[in-house]
PDB file of all heavy atoms in Angstrom:
ATOM      1  N   ARG Q   1      -0.884  18.044 -18.118  1.00 97.00           N
ATOM      2  CA  ARG Q   1      -1.105  18.542 -16.770  1.00 97.00           C
ATOM      3  C   ARG Q   1       0.048  18.167 -15.845  1.00 97.00           C
ATOM      4  O   ARG Q   1       0.723  17.159 -16.057  1.00 97.00           O
ATOM      5  CB  ARG Q   1      -2.411  17.967 -16.202  1.00 97.00           C
ATOM      6  CG  ARG Q   1      -3.669  18.352 -16.953  1.00 97.00           C
ATOM      7  CD  ARG Q   1      -3.844  19.857 -16.940  1.00 97.00           C
ATOM      8  NE  ARG Q   1      -3.871  20.358 -15.562  1.00 97.00           N
ATOM      9  CZ  ARG Q   1      -3.637  21.615 -15.215  1.00 97.00           C
ATOM     10  NH1 ARG Q   1      -3.336  22.515 -16.135  1.00 97.00           N
ATOM     11  NH2 ARG Q   1      -3.709  21.979 -13.952  1.00 97.00           N
ATOM     12  N   PRO Q   2       0.308  18.976 -14.806  1.00 98.00           N
ATOM     13  CA  PRO Q   2       1.337  18.613 -13.822  1.00 98.00           C
ATOM     14  C   PRO Q   2       1.008  17.281 -13.153  1.00 98.00           C
ATOM     15  O   PRO Q   2      -0.159  16.888 -13.065  1.00 98.00           O
ATOM     16  CB  PRO Q   2       1.288  19.765 -12.816  1.00 98.00           C
ATOM     17  CG  PRO Q   2       0.644  20.892 -13.540  1.00 98.00           C
ATOM     18  CD  PRO Q   2      -0.324  20.273 -14.503  1.00 98.00           C
ATOM     19  N   ILE Q   3       2.034  16.622 -12.670  1.00 98.00           N
ATOM     20  CA  ILE Q   3       1.886  15.302 -12.058  1.00 98.00           C
ATOM     21  C   ILE Q   3       2.325  15.368 -10.597  1.00 98.00           C
ATOM     22  O   ILE Q   3       3.325  15.999 -10.267  1.00 98.00           O
ATOM     23  CB  ILE Q   3       2.734  14.258 -12.803  1.00 98.00           C
ATOM     24  CG1 ILE Q   3       2.270  14.131 -14.257  1.00 98.00           C
ATOM     25  CG2 ILE Q   3       2.672  12.902 -12.104  1.00 98.00           C
ATOM     26  CD1 ILE Q   3       3.193  13.280 -15.113  1.00 98.00           C
ATOM     27  N   VAL Q   4       1.570  14.700  -9.732  1.00 98.00           N
ATOM     28  CA  VAL Q   4       1.957  14.526  -8.335  1.00 98.00           C
ATOM     29  C   VAL Q   4       2.058  13.034  -8.059  1.00 98.00           C
ATOM     30  O   VAL Q   4       1.125  12.278  -8.356  1.00 98.00           O
ATOM     31  CB  VAL Q   4       0.940  15.153  -7.362  1.00 98.00           C
ATOM     32  CG1 VAL Q   4       1.378  14.928  -5.920  1.00 98.00           C
ATOM     33  CG2 VAL Q   4       0.774  16.647  -7.642  1.00 98.00           C
ATOM     34  N   ILE Q   5       3.193  12.605  -7.523  1.00 99.00           N
ATOM     35  CA  ILE Q   5       3.353  11.211  -7.087  1.00 99.00           C
ATOM     36  C   ILE Q   5       3.338  11.215  -5.566  1.00 99.00           C
ATOM     37  O   ILE Q   5       4.154  11.893  -4.932  1.00 99.00           O
ATOM     38  CB  ILE Q   5       4.657  10.587  -7.599  1.00 99.00           C
ATOM     39  CG1 ILE Q   5       4.793  10.766  -9.112  1.00 99.00           C
ATOM     40  CG2 ILE Q   5       4.706   9.104  -7.242  1.00 99.00           C
ATOM     41  CD1 ILE Q   5       6.107  10.225  -9.677  1.00 99.00           C
ATOM     42  N   PHE Q   6       2.410  10.452  -4.981  1.00 99.00           N
ATOM     43  CA  PHE Q   6       2.229  10.437  -3.527  1.00 99.00           C
ATOM     44  C   PHE Q   6       2.558   9.070  -2.949  1.00 99.00           C
ATOM     45  O   PHE Q   6       2.046   8.049  -3.408  1.00 99.00           O
ATOM     46  CB  PHE Q   6       0.786  10.804  -3.170  1.00 99.00           C
ATOM     47  CG  PHE Q   6       0.469  10.632  -1.702  1.00 99.00           C
ATOM     48  CD1 PHE Q   6       0.797  11.614  -0.789  1.00 99.00           C
ATOM     49  CD2 PHE Q   6      -0.146   9.469  -1.247  1.00 99.00           C
ATOM     50  CE1 PHE Q   6       0.528  11.450   0.566  1.00 99.00           C
ATOM     51  CE2 PHE Q   6      -0.424   9.294   0.100  1.00 99.00           C
ATOM     52  CZ  PHE Q   6      -0.093  10.287   1.009  1.00 99.00           C
ATOM     53  N   TRP Q   7       3.401   9.064  -1.900  1.00 98.00           N
ATOM     54  CA  TRP Q   7       3.717   7.836  -1.158  1.00 98.00           C
ATOM     55  C   TRP Q   7       3.111   7.932   0.230  1.00 98.00           C
ATOM     56  O   TRP Q   7       3.358   8.890   0.967  1.00 98.00           O
ATOM     57  CB  TRP Q   7       5.228   7.631  -1.053  1.00 98.00           C
ATOM     58  CG  TRP Q   7       5.852   7.177  -2.339  1.00 98.00           C
ATOM     59  CD1 TRP Q   7       5.966   5.895  -2.810  1.00 98.00           C
ATOM     60  CD2 TRP Q   7       6.461   8.015  -3.347  1.00 98.00           C
ATOM     61  NE1 TRP Q   7       6.593   5.877  -4.029  1.00 98.00           N
ATOM     62  CE2 TRP Q   7       6.913   7.164  -4.389  1.00 98.00           C
ATOM     63  CE3 TRP Q   7       6.670   9.392  -3.467  1.00 98.00           C
ATOM     64  CZ2 TRP Q   7       7.554   7.649  -5.525  1.00 98.00           C
ATOM     65  CZ3 TRP Q   7       7.301   9.877  -4.595  1.00 98.00           C
ATOM     66  CH2 TRP Q   7       7.740   9.009  -5.614  1.00 98.00           C
ATOM     67  N   TYR Q   8       2.322   6.937   0.610  1.00 98.00           N
ATOM     68  CA  TYR Q   8       1.699   6.898   1.929  1.00 98.00           C
ATOM     69  C   TYR Q   8       2.709   6.445   2.982  1.00 98.00           C
ATOM     70  O   TYR Q   8       3.765   5.889   2.675  1.00 98.00           O
ATOM     71  CB  TYR Q   8       0.489   5.956   1.916  1.00 98.00           C
ATOM     72  CG  TYR Q   8       0.802   4.577   1.374  1.00 98.00           C
ATOM     73  CD1 TYR Q   8       1.470   3.624   2.137  1.00 98.00           C
ATOM     74  CD2 TYR Q   8       0.443   4.226   0.072  1.00 98.00           C
ATOM     75  CE1 TYR Q   8       1.761   2.367   1.634  1.00 98.00           C
ATOM     76  CE2 TYR Q   8       0.718   2.972  -0.445  1.00 98.00           C
ATOM     77  CZ  TYR Q   8       1.380   2.051   0.342  1.00 98.00           C
ATOM     78  OH  TYR Q   8       1.684   0.810  -0.172  1.00 98.00           O
ATOM     79  N   GLY Q   9       2.350   6.681   4.243  1.00 97.00           N
ATOM     80  CA  GLY Q   9       3.178   6.233   5.358  1.00 97.00           C
ATOM     81  C   GLY Q   9       2.735   4.880   5.879  1.00 97.00           C
ATOM     82  O   GLY Q   9       1.858   4.228   5.321  1.00 97.00           O
ATOM     83  N   GLY Q  10       3.350   4.488   6.990  1.00 96.00           N
ATOM     84  CA  GLY Q  10       3.053   3.182   7.579  1.00 96.00           C
ATOM     85  C   GLY Q  10       4.283   2.536   8.165  1.00 96.00           C
ATOM     86  O   GLY Q  10       4.362   1.305   8.258  1.00 96.00           O
ATOM     87  N   SER Q  11       5.273   3.356   8.543  1.00 97.00           N
ATOM     88  CA  SER Q  11       6.503   2.869   9.182  1.00 97.00           C
ATOM     89  C   SER Q  11       7.273   1.892   8.309  1.00 97.00           C
ATOM     90  O   SER Q  11       7.982   1.020   8.816  1.00 97.00           O
ATOM     91  CB  SER Q  11       6.188   2.222  10.544  1.00 97.00           C
ATOM     92  OG  SER Q  11       5.559   3.151  11.396  1.00 97.00           O
ATOM     93  N   TRP Q  12       7.120   2.010   6.986  1.00 98.00           N
ATOM     94  CA  TRP Q  12       7.803   1.150   6.021  1.00 98.00           C
ATOM     95  C   TRP Q  12       7.422  -0.324   6.181  1.00 98.00           C
ATOM     96  O   TRP Q  12       8.079  -1.204   5.648  1.00 98.00           O
ATOM     97  CB  TRP Q  12       9.328   1.279   6.139  1.00 98.00           C
ATOM     98  CG  TRP Q  12       9.837   2.662   6.007  1.00 98.00           C
ATOM     99  CD1 TRP Q  12      10.107   3.346   4.847  1.00 98.00           C
ATOM    100  CD2 TRP Q  12      10.158   3.558   7.079  1.00 98.00           C
ATOM    101  NE1 TRP Q  12      10.560   4.613   5.140  1.00 98.00           N
ATOM    102  CE2 TRP Q  12      10.607   4.769   6.495  1.00 98.00           C
ATOM    103  CE3 TRP Q  12      10.104   3.442   8.467  1.00 98.00           C
ATOM    104  CZ2 TRP Q  12      10.989   5.849   7.264  1.00 98.00           C
ATOM    105  CZ3 TRP Q  12      10.481   4.533   9.231  1.00 98.00           C
ATOM    106  CH2 TRP Q  12      10.916   5.721   8.631  1.00 98.00           C
ATOM    107  N   LYS Q  13       6.294  -0.593   6.892  1.00 97.00           N
ATOM    108  CA  LYS Q  13       5.916  -1.995   7.105  1.00 97.00           C
ATOM    109  C   LYS Q  13       4.457  -2.295   6.792  1.00 97.00           C
ATOM    110  O   LYS Q  13       4.057  -3.457   6.782  1.00 97.00           O
ATOM    111  CB  LYS Q  13       6.238  -2.425   8.541  1.00 97.00           C
ATOM    112  CG  LYS Q  13       5.427  -1.715   9.615  1.00 97.00           C
ATOM    113  CD  LYS Q  13       5.806  -2.228  11.002  1.00 97.00           C
ATOM    114  CE  LYS Q  13       4.975  -1.549  12.086  1.00 97.00           C
ATOM    115  NZ  LYS Q  13       5.343  -2.045  13.431  1.00 97.00           N
ATOM    116  N   HIS Q  14       3.636  -1.266   6.572  1.00 95.00           N
ATOM    117  CA  HIS Q  14       2.253  -1.536   6.172  1.00 95.00           C
ATOM    118  C   HIS Q  14       1.722  -0.355   5.372  1.00 95.00           C
ATOM    119  O   HIS Q  14       2.281   0.743   5.396  1.00 95.00           O
ATOM    120  CB  HIS Q  14       1.344  -1.823   7.374  1.00 95.00           C
ATOM    121  CG  HIS Q  14       1.323  -0.750   8.418  1.00 95.00           C
ATOM    122  ND1 HIS Q  14       0.635   0.428   8.263  1.00 95.00           N
ATOM    123  CD2 HIS Q  14       1.913  -0.680   9.641  1.00 95.00           C
ATOM    124  CE1 HIS Q  14       0.781   1.170   9.337  1.00 95.00           C
ATOM    125  NE2 HIS Q  14       1.566   0.544  10.184  1.00 95.00           N
ATOM    126  N   GLY Q  15       0.627  -0.606   4.659  1.00 96.00           N
ATOM    127  CA  GLY Q  15       0.018   0.425   3.823  1.00 96.00           C
ATOM    128  C   GLY Q  15      -0.454  -0.161   2.509  1.00 96.00           C
ATOM    129  O   GLY Q  15       0.033  -1.201   2.047  1.00 96.00           O
ATOM    130  N   ASN Q  16      -1.423   0.519   1.902  1.00 96.00           N
ATOM    131  CA  ASN Q  16      -1.990   0.071   0.640  1.00 96.00           C
ATOM    132  C   ASN Q  16      -2.507   1.291  -0.107  1.00 96.00           C
ATOM    133  O   ASN Q  16      -3.251   2.101   0.450  1.00 96.00           O
ATOM    134  CB  ASN Q  16      -3.134  -0.923   0.902  1.00 96.00           C
ATOM    135  CG  ASN Q  16      -3.650  -1.580  -0.349  1.00 96.00           C
ATOM    136  OD1 ASN Q  16      -4.002  -0.901  -1.313  1.00 96.00           O
ATOM    137  ND2 ASN Q  16      -3.702  -2.910  -0.348  1.00 96.00           N
ATOM    138  N   LYS Q  17      -2.133   1.412  -1.363  1.00 97.00           N
ATOM    139  CA  LYS Q  17      -2.508   2.578  -2.158  1.00 97.00           C
ATOM    140  C   LYS Q  17      -4.010   2.757  -2.260  1.00 97.00           C
ATOM    141  O   LYS Q  17      -4.512   3.894  -2.334  1.00 97.00           O
ATOM    142  CB  LYS Q  17      -1.899   2.484  -3.561  1.00 97.00           C
ATOM    143  CG  LYS Q  17      -2.267   1.224  -4.336  1.00 97.00           C
ATOM    144  CD  LYS Q  17      -1.549   1.164  -5.658  1.00 97.00           C
ATOM    145  CE  LYS Q  17      -1.741  -0.162  -6.370  1.00 97.00           C
ATOM    146  NZ  LYS Q  17      -3.139  -0.572  -6.560  1.00 97.00           N
ATOM    147  N   ALA Q  18      -4.763   1.661  -2.261  1.00 95.00           N
ATOM    148  CA  ALA Q  18      -6.219   1.757  -2.398  1.00 95.00           C
ATOM    149  C   ALA Q  18      -6.851   2.509  -1.237  1.00 95.00           C
ATOM    150  O   ALA Q  18      -7.895   3.152  -1.391  1.00 95.00           O
ATOM    151  CB  ALA Q  18      -6.828   0.363  -2.507  1.00 95.00           C
ATOM    152  N   ASN Q  19      -6.225   2.457  -0.068  1.00 95.00           N
ATOM    153  CA  ASN Q  19      -6.768   3.151   1.093  1.00 95.00           C
ATOM    154  C   ASN Q  19      -6.639   4.662   0.989  1.00 95.00           C
ATOM    155  O   ASN Q  19      -7.284   5.395   1.741  1.00 95.00           O
ATOM    156  CB  ASN Q  19      -6.062   2.673   2.364  1.00 95.00           C
ATOM    157  CG  ASN Q  19      -6.429   1.248   2.727  1.00 95.00           C
ATOM    158  OD1 ASN Q  19      -7.479   0.762   2.343  1.00 95.00           O
ATOM    159  ND2 ASN Q  19      -5.558   0.578   3.457  1.00 95.00           N
ATOM    160  N   TYR Q  20      -5.808   5.129   0.071  1.00 96.00           N
ATOM    161  CA  TYR Q  20      -5.551   6.568  -0.043  1.00 96.00           C
ATOM    162  C   TYR Q  20      -6.169   7.146  -1.318  1.00 96.00           C
ATOM    163  O   TYR Q  20      -5.690   8.148  -1.834  1.00 96.00           O
ATOM    164  CB  TYR Q  20      -4.049   6.834   0.016  1.00 96.00           C
ATOM    165  CG  TYR Q  20      -3.506   6.559   1.401  1.00 96.00           C
ATOM    166  CD1 TYR Q  20      -3.148   5.269   1.776  1.00 96.00           C
ATOM    167  CD2 TYR Q  20      -3.397   7.572   2.338  1.00 96.00           C
ATOM    168  CE1 TYR Q  20      -2.688   5.000   3.058  1.00 96.00           C
ATOM    169  CE2 TYR Q  20      -2.938   7.319   3.618  1.00 96.00           C
ATOM    170  CZ  TYR Q  20      -2.584   6.029   3.974  1.00 96.00           C
ATOM    171  OH  TYR Q  20      -2.140   5.769   5.240  1.00 96.00           O
ATOM    172  N   ARG Q  21      -7.249   6.526  -1.733  1.00 96.00           N
ATOM    173  CA  ARG Q  21      -7.960   7.061  -2.894  1.00 96.00           C
ATOM    174  C   ARG Q  21      -8.372   8.516  -2.656  1.00 96.00           C
ATOM    175  O   ARG Q  21      -8.400   9.326  -3.581  1.00 96.00           O
ATOM    176  CB  ARG Q  21      -9.192   6.203  -3.185  1.00 96.00           C
ATOM    177  CG  ARG Q  21     -10.010   6.688  -4.380  1.00 96.00           C
ATOM    178  CD  ARG Q  21     -11.065   5.671  -4.773  1.00 96.00           C
ATOM    179  NE  ARG Q  21     -11.855   6.152  -5.918  1.00 96.00           N
ATOM    180  CZ  ARG Q  21     -12.631   5.376  -6.662  1.00 96.00           C
ATOM    181  NH1 ARG Q  21     -12.721   4.090  -6.395  1.00 96.00           N
ATOM    182  NH2 ARG Q  21     -13.310   5.884  -7.675  1.00 96.00           N
ATOM    183  N   PHE Q  22      -8.656   8.874  -1.397  1.00 96.00           N
ATOM    184  CA  PHE Q  22      -9.077  10.238  -1.103  1.00 96.00           C
ATOM    185  C   PHE Q  22      -7.992  11.252  -1.450  1.00 96.00           C
ATOM    186  O   PHE Q  22      -8.294  12.405  -1.779  1.00 96.00           O
ATOM    187  CB  PHE Q  22      -9.512  10.374   0.364  1.00 96.00           C
ATOM    188  CG  PHE Q  22      -8.429  10.174   1.392  1.00 96.00           C
ATOM    189  CD1 PHE Q  22      -7.731  11.259   1.891  1.00 96.00           C
ATOM    190  CD2 PHE Q  22      -8.132   8.909   1.885  1.00 96.00           C
ATOM    191  CE1 PHE Q  22      -6.755  11.093   2.863  1.00 96.00           C
ATOM    192  CE2 PHE Q  22      -7.153   8.726   2.848  1.00 96.00           C
ATOM    193  CZ  PHE Q  22      -6.456   9.819   3.343  1.00 96.00           C
ATOM    194  N   VAL Q  23      -6.712  10.843  -1.401  1.00 97.00           N
ATOM    195  CA  VAL Q  23      -5.621  11.744  -1.790  1.00 97.00           C
ATOM    196  C   VAL Q  23      -5.601  11.917  -3.306  1.00 97.00           C
ATOM    197  O   VAL Q  23      -5.525  13.035  -3.822  1.00 97.00           O
ATOM    198  CB  VAL Q  23      -4.272  11.209  -1.294  1.00 97.00           C
ATOM    199  CG1 VAL Q  23      -3.134  12.098  -1.787  1.00 97.00           C
ATOM    200  CG2 VAL Q  23      -4.248  11.140   0.230  1.00 97.00           C
ATOM    201  N   GLY Q  24      -5.689  10.805  -4.029  1.00 97.00           N
ATOM    202  CA  GLY Q  24      -5.700  10.887  -5.488  1.00 97.00           C
ATOM    203  C   GLY Q  24      -6.870  11.704  -6.006  1.00 97.00           C
ATOM    204  O   GLY Q  24      -6.715  12.528  -6.917  1.00 97.00           O
ATOM    205  N   ALA Q  25      -8.042  11.501  -5.415  1.00 97.00           N
ATOM    206  CA  ALA Q  25      -9.233  12.225  -5.853  1.00 97.00           C
ATOM    207  C   ALA Q  25      -9.119  13.716  -5.545  1.00 97.00           C
ATOM    208  O   ALA Q  25      -9.499  14.564  -6.365  1.00 97.00           O
ATOM    209  CB  ALA Q  25     -10.470  11.644  -5.176  1.00 97.00           C
ATOM    210  N   ALA Q  26      -8.595  14.044  -4.362  1.00 97.00           N
ATOM    211  CA  ALA Q  26      -8.490  15.450  -3.963  1.00 97.00           C
ATOM    212  C   ALA Q  26      -7.548  16.226  -4.865  1.00 97.00           C
ATOM    213  O   ALA Q  26      -7.818  17.380  -5.227  1.00 97.00           O
ATOM    214  CB  ALA Q  26      -8.028  15.542  -2.513  1.00 97.00           C
ATOM    215  N   LEU Q  27      -6.442  15.610  -5.256  1.00 98.00           N
ATOM    216  CA  LEU Q  27      -5.480  16.299  -6.117  1.00 98.00           C
ATOM    217  C   LEU Q  27      -5.949  16.319  -7.570  1.00 98.00           C
ATOM    218  O   LEU Q  27      -5.737  17.310  -8.282  1.00 98.00           O
ATOM    219  CB  LEU Q  27      -4.110  15.640  -5.986  1.00 98.00           C
ATOM    220  CG  LEU Q  27      -3.446  15.813  -4.617  1.00 98.00           C
ATOM    221  CD1 LEU Q  27      -2.184  14.961  -4.508  1.00 98.00           C
ATOM    222  CD2 LEU Q  27      -3.113  17.285  -4.362  1.00 98.00           C
ATOM    223  N   ALA Q  28      -6.582  15.245  -8.023  1.00 97.00           N
ATOM    224  CA  ALA Q  28      -7.117  15.240  -9.388  1.00 97.00           C
ATOM    225  C   ALA Q  28      -8.194  16.304  -9.548  1.00 97.00           C
ATOM    226  O   ALA Q  28      -8.331  16.911 -10.616  1.00 97.00           O
ATOM    227  CB  ALA Q  28      -7.676  13.853  -9.729  1.00 97.00           C
ATOM    228  N   ALA Q  29      -8.933  16.555  -8.474  1.00 96.00           N
ATOM    229  CA  ALA Q  29      -9.984  17.570  -8.526  1.00 96.00           C
ATOM    230  C   ALA Q  29      -9.413  18.967  -8.762  1.00 96.00           C
ATOM    231  O   ALA Q  29     -10.116  19.854  -9.238  1.00 96.00           O
ATOM    232  CB  ALA Q  29     -10.792  17.559  -7.228  1.00 96.00           C
ATOM    233  N   ARG Q  30      -8.142  19.156  -8.445  1.00 97.00           N
ATOM    234  CA  ARG Q  30      -7.502  20.447  -8.652  1.00 97.00           C
ATOM    235  C   ARG Q  30      -6.654  20.472  -9.923  1.00 97.00           C
ATOM    236  O   ARG Q  30      -5.856  21.382 -10.130  1.00 97.00           O
ATOM    237  CB  ARG Q  30      -6.643  20.795  -7.431  1.00 97.00           C
ATOM    238  CG  ARG Q  30      -7.434  20.862  -6.144  1.00 97.00           C
ATOM    239  CD  ARG Q  30      -8.541  21.918  -6.158  1.00 97.00           C
ATOM    240  NE  ARG Q  30      -7.996  23.251  -6.008  1.00 97.00           N
ATOM    241  CZ  ARG Q  30      -7.870  23.874  -4.838  1.00 97.00           C
ATOM    242  NH1 ARG Q  30      -8.286  23.273  -3.715  1.00 97.00           N
ATOM    243  NH2 ARG Q  30      -7.366  25.081  -4.769  1.00 97.00           N
ATOM    244  N   GLY Q  31      -6.810  19.437 -10.763  1.00 97.00           N
ATOM    245  CA  GLY Q  31      -6.190  19.452 -12.079  1.00 97.00           C
ATOM    246  C   GLY Q  31      -4.863  18.747 -12.200  1.00 97.00           C
ATOM    247  O   GLY Q  31      -4.201  18.844 -13.234  1.00 97.00           O
ATOM    248  N   PHE Q  32      -4.456  18.000 -11.164  1.00 98.00           N
ATOM    249  CA  PHE Q  32      -3.171  17.302 -11.217  1.00 98.00           C
ATOM    250  C   PHE Q  32      -3.374  15.820 -11.526  1.00 98.00           C
ATOM    251  O   PHE Q  32      -4.229  15.168 -10.926  1.00 98.00           O
ATOM    252  CB  PHE Q  32      -2.437  17.427  -9.879  1.00 98.00           C
ATOM    253  CG  PHE Q  32      -2.320  18.835  -9.367  1.00 98.00           C
ATOM    254  CD1 PHE Q  32      -2.874  19.192  -8.152  1.00 98.00           C
ATOM    255  CD2 PHE Q  32      -1.675  19.813 -10.117  1.00 98.00           C
ATOM    256  CE1 PHE Q  32      -2.784  20.492  -7.675  1.00 98.00           C
ATOM    257  CE2 PHE Q  32      -1.571  21.115  -9.654  1.00 98.00           C
ATOM    258  CZ  PHE Q  32      -2.131  21.454  -8.428  1.00 98.00           C
ATOM    259  N   VAL Q  33      -2.598  15.303 -12.459  1.00 98.00           N
ATOM    260  CA  VAL Q  33      -2.550  13.858 -12.652  1.00 98.00           C
ATOM    261  C   VAL Q  33      -1.810  13.282 -11.443  1.00 98.00           C
ATOM    262  O   VAL Q  33      -0.671  13.650 -11.173  1.00 98.00           O
ATOM    263  CB  VAL Q  33      -1.817  13.485 -13.952  1.00 98.00           C
ATOM    264  CG1 VAL Q  33      -1.655  11.969 -14.054  1.00 98.00           C
ATOM    265  CG2 VAL Q  33      -2.567  14.023 -15.159  1.00 98.00           C
ATOM    266  N   THR Q  34      -2.473  12.414 -10.706  1.00 98.00           N
ATOM    267  CA  THR Q  34      -1.936  11.960  -9.416  1.00 98.00           C
ATOM    268  C   THR Q  34      -1.661  10.460  -9.456  1.00 98.00           C
ATOM    269  O   THR Q  34      -2.499   9.680  -9.906  1.00 98.00           O
ATOM    270  CB  THR Q  34      -2.923  12.283  -8.281  1.00 98.00           C
ATOM    271  OG1 THR Q  34      -3.281  13.679  -8.360  1.00 98.00           O
ATOM    272  CG2 THR Q  34      -2.292  12.009  -6.935  1.00 98.00           C
ATOM    273  N   VAL Q  35      -0.488  10.083  -8.960  1.00 98.00           N
ATOM    274  CA  VAL Q  35      -0.047   8.689  -8.992  1.00 98.00           C
ATOM    275  C   VAL Q  35       0.197   8.215  -7.564  1.00 98.00           C
ATOM    276  O   VAL Q  35       0.898   8.879  -6.796  1.00 98.00           O
ATOM    277  CB  VAL Q  35       1.237   8.532  -9.827  1.00 98.00           C
ATOM    278  CG1 VAL Q  35       1.663   7.067  -9.878  1.00 98.00           C
ATOM    279  CG2 VAL Q  35       1.035   9.092 -11.232  1.00 98.00           C
ATOM    280  N   LEU Q  36      -0.383   7.071  -7.211  1.00 98.00           N
ATOM    281  CA  LEU Q  36      -0.194   6.475  -5.896  1.00 98.00           C
ATOM    282  C   LEU Q  36       0.445   5.097  -6.060  1.00 98.00           C
ATOM    283  O   LEU Q  36      -0.221   4.142  -6.448  1.00 98.00           O
ATOM    284  CB  LEU Q  36      -1.536   6.332  -5.162  1.00 98.00           C
ATOM    285  CG  LEU Q  36      -2.048   7.537  -4.370  1.00 98.00           C
ATOM    286  CD1 LEU Q  36      -2.298   8.728  -5.264  1.00 98.00           C
ATOM    287  CD2 LEU Q  36      -3.305   7.158  -3.598  1.00 98.00           C
ATOM    288  N   PRO Q  37       1.741   4.982  -5.791  1.00 98.00           N
ATOM    289  CA  PRO Q  37       2.387   3.677  -5.902  1.00 98.00           C
ATOM    290  C   PRO Q  37       2.324   2.883  -4.587  1.00 98.00           C
ATOM    291  O   PRO Q  37       2.371   3.454  -3.499  1.00 98.00           O
ATOM    292  CB  PRO Q  37       3.858   4.020  -6.210  1.00 98.00           C
ATOM    293  CG  PRO Q  37       3.905   5.517  -6.375  1.00 98.00           C
ATOM    294  CD  PRO Q  37       2.718   6.053  -5.636  1.00 98.00           C
TER     295      PRO Q  37
END
């Protein structure tokens, strides 16, 4: 399957991948293997 790698924002000073589970779930639901680093 196609892959999407997503980087969250936060002014390069804050952020956590766990908070953006909704992005990973939304893209996986459409058939994309989604990676949140």
Side-chain angles (χ1 to χ4, degrees):
R1 298 299 303 160
I3 298 171
V4 179
I5 308 177
F6 172 83
W7 286 274
Y8 52 77
S11 301
W12 305 276
K13 66 179 181 180
H14 56 76
N16 188 307
K17 57 184 172 54
N19 290 336
Y20 291 84
R21 180 170 180 164
F22 65 94
V23 176
L27 293 172
R30 301 299 284 267
F32 309 120
V33 174
T34 308
V35 181
L36 274 62

